[in-house]
Structures are given as structure tokens and as C-alpha cells.
Amino acid sequence: MGEYLQYLSYGDAGWGDELLYGMSITVRLFVATLPLGLVLGFLIALAKRSDKKWLSIPANIYTTIFRGVPELLTLFIVFYGGQIFIQMVVEFFVDDVIVDVSAFLAGMIALGFVFSAYASETFLSALNAVPQGQAEAARAMGMSWFRTMQKVVFPQVIRHALPGLSNLTLILQKETALVSILALDEVLRQTQIAVGNTKEPIFFYAIACGLFILLAFLTSIAFKKIEVWSSRGQERA
Amino acid sequence: MDLELLMKYGPRMLHGLWVTLQLVGISLLIGGVLSLPIAMARLSKNKFFNGVSYAYVYFFRGSPLIAQLFLVYYGAGQLRYELQDINMWWFFRDAWNCTILVFALNTAAYQAEILRGGIMGVPKGQLEAAMAMGLKPLVTFFKVTLPQAMISSLRPYGNEVILMIKGSAIASVVTIFDLMGETKLAFSRTFDFEIYFIAALMYLAVVELIRFFWERMDTRLTRHLRPANEQ
């Protein structure tokens, strides 16, 4: 028992500080990806609803691709593909520069794309749940398109979309673990390093699982709070 | 599209796709069988069964699949002598078995929740009618509740199949040569980026095919639930 506590101690002897650092990277990646995915997802949902074919067709193709390709493969394509692409662009201007795409950025983009593809479906059904007449009434009263969205449609969309978004957020949080394969120093990667040094895989991977579960627990509490807030105008049954 | 590349690595990748499908198929089947007792325990009023099954589902749905896989795959190595003592080492020595085990346990948790939702959705009157007709609880469950629960859960089941296919790419991290594993190997030999796009197209084709057929199956199996004029 004492031996295991030693493993978790903070400092040179233990891995507590390394794991905590990994945790901070995981949270940072998650917090950076979420807004990107949400904004992108909402815009794609709007594009899907549009009557302009050149907007709705690409939006649907986008969703199909990112919902059908494994997250791991998307991550590899963004990471290596991004590297090759940026390298080509840079070589066009200067020689002898080797471009390194950060694993963090690649993870953020890849996971953000996947998240936005799923989120756009959630937003789409939430948008459809808001009666058309409300937007029409707002426009008839002289509100601009943006105002209508902001004051009438969006607050209701949030309420309808929250349960779905809450699920997607928990999935996103778990997917950040995939970026460990690109050697980003998040929790799972730090755990792997600890295992390599101590030869205690069961203990450390169980800790890693526990940390993710803790994170999921905290996120779900936050979502419960937002759900209560977003339905504050609703009658209580 | 580079034809030479396709000729050289295409067959290997197709074989990898077959491995992926086997992996997912076997895991889904085992997970499906396991999900039944878990769902029952989740619905049970017994505090012990309820608590254990809740913890099981929370663990497998709350932590990343890749961390679970590492826990079992590398953890088995640590327990090697203990496993040898109980004659289970032959099983855990093989990455394939570990992967199937983890995938099956993982999907069992998700399928149990799907099934639980389905069972709770069966109207109470059905059970009362079955009881009034003198059916035993077990017969009622297998003949009345379960078939209806599974039909109403068809859509989430389909999503789970697709999520498993996508998630199975993780197996490549523990030396399994599924489609993702073959793709990584081919890329490390050629450094031709097109390989990744070919793999993406293969995954996409399989997922879309499943989506298409699942939708048709759903429409067909639920035709009795729609009003006659909508058929």
C-alpha cells in the first residue's frame, strides 16, 4: 500500500505531478476543442437547413465523412496530412525548413471536426423543434436575422440540444485520450511513461481510467446545472 | 489514385477490413449476450445487483476504450504468473483475445443501457395482460417484453454497431492488423499519404452500407407500429 502511495507522490520519486500535468493537458485540449466543435456544428446545422444547394450538400457530405471515419484515422490524416500540406506551402517560399505540426493542434482540429459533425445533427433537430412561426413573428416585428437568432431561436435551440450535446461532450472528453498516440503529454501518455518506469500497468491504468471517470462526473454535473439554467423559463411539471 | 500502390497494399488492407469486421462482429455478439444480465441487474430492485451493474456501466462508459484496452493488455502481463497458475495465461497472452475481451465488455455496458431503455419503454399494460393470461414471469419476459424492447431499440443498436466499427481502429495500437493496423504498416513502408485516404474510404463504405441496410431493416421490422396509411 505504502509503495503505491509513493508512486502517486508529488515530486521526483512519484508520478503524482506528472499525472496532474497530463490531466491539465487533457482538460486544456478538451476546453479548446469544445467551442470549436460547437460553433462549427451550429454553422453546419444552419447550412443543412439552407435552401441553397451549394450550402446544404457540402454540409451533408461533411457530416457523412466525419461520422463514418474512425476518430483515430481522422487524427492521423489531420496530423500527417497537415504536416505534409504545410510543408509544401512553406517549401514554396523558403528552403530548408522542417515543419512540425503540434499534436495538440492536430487533436483539436480532428476531434473538433468529428464533434461538429455529430453536433450539427443535434442542432438540426433542435432547430426543427422551434416552431417556424416564432422566427417569422420576430422578423415581422422588424428584428434582423441576427437578432432573431440571438433573442428568439437560439435560447430555445440550446434547451432542446442540451441533452444531446451533453452526451457528445462526454464522448469528446474520452476521445482526447487518442491524442496520446501522437505523443501529446496528456493523462494517458503520462500514464504510459509511468508504467514504463515502474512496471505497474494495472495500478496506473486503473488510475488513468479513474481520472477520466472523475472528469466525466464533473462534466455531467456542470451539464445538469446548465440544463436547469436553460429551462428556467419553463413551467415546472 | 496510384494504381501500383493499390495493387500492392489493396489486398492486405481488404484483409485488414475483414479482420476489423470479425473483431467487431465477435465483440458485438459476446457483448450482446452479456448485456442481458447486466440490463436485468440495472432494472433489479436488489441493491447489490443494482449497485454492481451501475458501477460496471459507469466504468465502461466513463473511461476511454483505449485506456481500458491498455489496462487489460498490459495488466495481463503483470499478472503473468498468477494467470499461469490458473491456466489462463494462454488466453491473455494473445493481443487478439485481450482486444475481444475489452471490446465485448465495453459494448456490453452500452448495449445494456440500450436494452434497459427499451425494456422500460414497454407499456405496463402489456405485462398486466400477460399476467392476467397466466404467463409465468420468465415467459412474459422472453415472449412479451424482450421482443418489443429490442424492436424499439433497433436504432440505438445500429448506432452502437457503427460506433464499434469506428472504435475498433484502436486495436491497431496493440499489434492487431485490422484495417487501421494494415494502413499504418503500409504508410510506414511507402510514406504515401494516399493510403490513409483509401482506408478512410473503406471505413466510410462499410459504415454507410450498414447504415443503409439497418434503416431498411428498421423500416421493415417496425411496419406494424405505424398507422396503415403511412406504410
Side-chain angles (χ1 to χ4, degrees):
Chain A
M1 191 64 211
E3 180 188 358
Y4 286 121
L5 278 179
Q6 175 97 53
Y7 282 142
L8 286 182
S9 69
Y10 205 87
D12 288 341
W15 296 89
D17 45 341
E18 281 84 355
L19 289 178
L20 215 58
Y21 173 72
M23 201 63 182
S24 81
I25 300 279
T26 297
V27 172
R28 263 184 258 180
L29 179 59
F30 165 63
V31 170
T33 310
L34 194 58
L36 172 75
L38 285 174
V39 171
L40 215 53
F42 190 69
L43 292 179
I44 290 162
L46 288 181
K48 276 186 198 162
R49 272 163 64 94
S50 160
D51 2 301
K52 297 186 187 71
K53 281 254 159 43
W54 61 270
L55 272 176
S56 63
I57 290 176
N60 280 315
I61 293 175
Y62 177 93
T63 310
T64 307
I65 290 177
F66 288 106
R67 290 201 313 174
V69 178
E71 291 79 11
L72 191 60
L73 186 53
T74 309
L75 197 61
F76 275 43
I77 289 179
V78 170
F79 187 60
Y80 294 116
Q83 206 141 341
I84 293 169
F85 178 73
I86 297 174
Q87 182 82 53
M88 274 183 353
V89 174
V90 169
E91 265 174 17
F92 189 75
F93 296 105
V94 275
D95 293 332
D96 301 328
V97 177
I98 290 180
V99 179
D100 239 347
V101 171
S102 98
F104 187 93
L105 194 65
M108 193 179 137
I109 293 172
L111 297 181
F113 281 174
V114 176
F115 181 91
S116 70
Y118 283 98
S120 73
E121 289 290 290
T122 307
F123 278 127
L124 188 64
S125 50
L127 280 165
N128 288 338
V130 179
Q132 192 81 50
Q134 299 217 4
E136 282 165 9
R139 295 303 299 271
M141 288 173 77
M143 288 167 94
S144 68
W145 180 88
F146 187 77
R147 254 298 123 79
T148 308
M149 270 290 162
Q150 182 199 0
K151 294 283 181 193
V152 179
V153 180
F154 199 68
Q156 302 190 67
V157 165
I158 286 289
R159 203 179 70 236
H160 290 299
L162 263 178
L165 292 180
S166 155
N167 270 336
L168 294 178
T169 306
L170 292 172
I171 292 173
L172 168 69
Q173 199 167 65
K174 290 186 285 173
E175 277 168 357
T176 58
L178 292 178
V179 190
S180 67
I181 295 174
L182 302 182
L184 179 73
D185 289 335
E186 51 72 77
V187 172
L188 194 60
R189 166 86 180 156
Q190 297 291 63
T191 309
Q192 280 172 306
I193 297 172
V195 169
N197 278 283
T198 57
K199 308 282 178 258
E200 290 280 358
I202 296 180
F203 175 70
F204 277 108
Y205 285 124
I207 293 276
C209 286
L211 287 172
F212 275 103
I213 290 171
L214 179 71
L215 213 55
F217 176 69
L218 294 177
T219 311
S220 61
I221 288 181
F223 264 96
K224 284 262 161 60
K225 290 243 155 82
I226 302 174
E227 242 159 87
V228 171
W229 170 79
S230 74
S231 55
R232 66 200 179 287
Q234 291 300 104
E235 263 182 81
R236 282 183 188 76
Chain B
M1 200 63 76
D2 191 342
L3 262 182
E4 206 177 319
L5 190 75
L6 209 57
M7 291 296 276
K8 194 158 178 214
Y9 291 101
R12 290 205 59 159
M13 286 170 72
L14 278 178
H15 181 261
L17 183 61
W18 174 232
V19 171
T20 293
L21 292 178
Q22 277 177 301
L23 192 61
V24 172
I26 297 172
S27 310
L28 281 172
L29 276 181
I30 300 176
V33 174
L34 286 176
S35 73
L36 191 58
I38 299 169
M40 297 303 291
R42 283 284 278 127
L43 288 164
S44 137
K45 288 195 180 72
N46 182 314
K47 274 209 174 121
F48 174 75
F49 286 130
N50 198 304
V52 170
S53 58
Y54 181 75
Y56 177 91
V57 169
Y58 207 97
F59 175 81
F60 279 103
R61 300 209 316 168
S63 56
L65 182 58
I66 186 170
Q68 294 159 15
L69 185 59
F70 284 168
L71 179 63
V72 170
Y73 181 66
Y74 294 112
Q78 190 185 351
L79 290 179
R80 177 174 179 169
Y81 297 106
E82 287 84 347
L83 287 169
Q84 273 172 338
D85 281 344
I86 56 168
N87 262 329
M88 282 300 284
W89 176 241
W90 62 270
F91 180 86
F92 286 98
R93 196 176 57 183
D94 194 348
W96 174 261
N97 293 336
C98 287
T99 310
I100 295 259
L101 178 71
V102 171
F103 283 13
L105 292 177
N106 183 279
T107 185
Y110 282 91
Q111 288 189 44
E113 284 302 283
I114 294 172
L115 198 57
R116 187 174 72 103
I119 290 174
M120 292 203 305
V122 176
K124 219 175 175 186
Q126 299 261 347
L127 301 182
E128 285 163 4
M131 207 199 286
M133 290 175 79
L135 290 182
K136 291 197 186 89
L138 210 64
V139 179
T140 307
F141 180 74
F142 281 104
K143 293 283 181 188
V144 180
T145 309
L146 196 59
Q148 298 189 68
M150 288 182 82
I151 278 204
S152 63
S153 318
L154 263 178
R155 235 161 240 283
Y157 267 127
N159 287 338
E160 176 61 14
V161 173
I162 288 167
L163 283 180
M164 275 302 282
I165 290 177
K166 294 174 66 186
S168 72
I170 289 169
S172 65
V173 182
V174 291
T175 71
I176 304 276
F177 282 100
D178 65 333
L179 177 50
M180 189 69 200
E182 292 287 1
T183 307
K184 283 201 284 191
L185 182 75
F187 181 69
S188 68
R189 284 190 184 155
T190 57
F191 288 105
D192 191 331
F193 197 67
E194 233 170 82
I195 290 277
Y196 281 127
F197 286 118
I198 297 171
L201 280 179
M202 282 180 166
Y203 273 113
L204 204 56
V206 170
V207 166
E208 283 307 305
L209 269 177
I210 289 176
R211 220 190 281 280
F212 177 75
F213 281 109
W214 207 275
E215 197 126 303
R216 294 196 65 170
M217 185 172 78
D218 188 51
T219 317
R220 170 102 187 133
L221 286 177
T222 58
R223 65 194 186 282
H224 62 286
L225 296 174
R226 284 185 298 274
N229 53 9
E230 271 184 33
Q231 281 179 22

